[in-house]
């Protein structure tokens, strides 16, 4: 993308995607990503939805969910963004777990649920700390526990 202007980049991605069979989920996903990367989340949402409906699989499927939810957040569709990312956290585990948590934290902040967002972010951070992992995880949990 850095080697092309925005319009050229989108056109190039469309051309590459056209080499795949019509309705190919990878092509739809990549076309959505090109629009998302160039500041057009409104155009990306439909393509991400089509890619997922067409059976996008593996890591790209999870990336499409993250990117769809992020685009929806940017468009003010906070409830759907939170719903998609919350479901994605429960769907399994892989190297994108912390990305899901990070984007969910952003959506929660925009939805006015800051304590949940900080709890989620600190919980994701805790395993990566060289020290204080248990303390940080406990503080993250306490942020969202009901007060007694």
């Amino acid at each position: 993308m850095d080697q092309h202007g925005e319009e050229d980049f989108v056109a190039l991605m469309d051309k590459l995607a056209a080499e795949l069979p019509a309705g190919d989920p990878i092509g739809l996903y990549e076309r959505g990503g090109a629009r998302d990367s160039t500041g057009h989340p409104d155009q990306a949402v439909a393509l991400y939805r089509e890619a997922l409906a067409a059976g996008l699989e593996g890591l790209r499927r999870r990336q499409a969910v993250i990117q769809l939810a992020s685009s929806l957040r940017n468009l003010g569709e906070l409830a759907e963004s939170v719903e998609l990312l919350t479901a994605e956290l429960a769907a399994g585990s892989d190297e994108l777990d912390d990305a899901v948590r990070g984007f969910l934290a952003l959506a929660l902040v925009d939805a006015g649920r800051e304590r949940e967002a900080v709890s989620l972010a600190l919980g994701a951070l805790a395993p990566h700390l060289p020290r204080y992992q248990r303390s940080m995880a406990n503080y993250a949990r306490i942020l969202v526990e009901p007060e007694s």
Side-chain angles (χ1 to χ4, degrees), residues 24-143:
D24 183 89
I26 294 172
L28 293 165
Y29 163 72
E30 294 295 346
R31 290 180 59 222
R35 282 150 179 83
D36 215 355
S37 297
T38 56
H40 301 284
D42 54 320
Q43 297 172 16
V45 166
L47 291 163
Y48 291 147
R49 289 188 198 280
E50 285 182 61
L52 292 165
L56 192 64
E57 297 178 338
L59 215 49
R60 277 195 181 104
R61 186 207 63 78
R62 198 157 204 217
Q63 290 170 329
V65 171
I66 292 168
Q67 291 168 213
L68 170 59
S70 178
S71 292
L72 289 167
R73 181 185 71 83
N74 289 329
L75 295 170
E77 301 293 333
L78 303 176
E80 187 177 0
S81 178
V82 168
E83 181 181 323
L84 283 168
L85 292 166
T86 301
E88 197 58 35
L89 273 182
S93 184
D94 61 21
E95 65 265 25
L96 293 176
D97 286 354
D98 287 342
V100 173
R101 287 181 180 94
F103 282 97
L104 179 53
L106 289 170
L108 289 169
V109 167
D110 286 353
R113 296 164 58 184
E114 292 87 356
R115 289 183 73 83
E116 289 174 72
V118 171
S119 174
L120 193 62
L122 291 176
L125 172 66
H128 304 284
L129 297 175
R131 295 183 54 99
Y132 312 110
Q133 292 175 348
R134 191 176 73 226
S135 295
M136 190 64 66
N138 285 333
Y139 287 132
R141 181 183 42 78
I142 290 168
L143 280 171

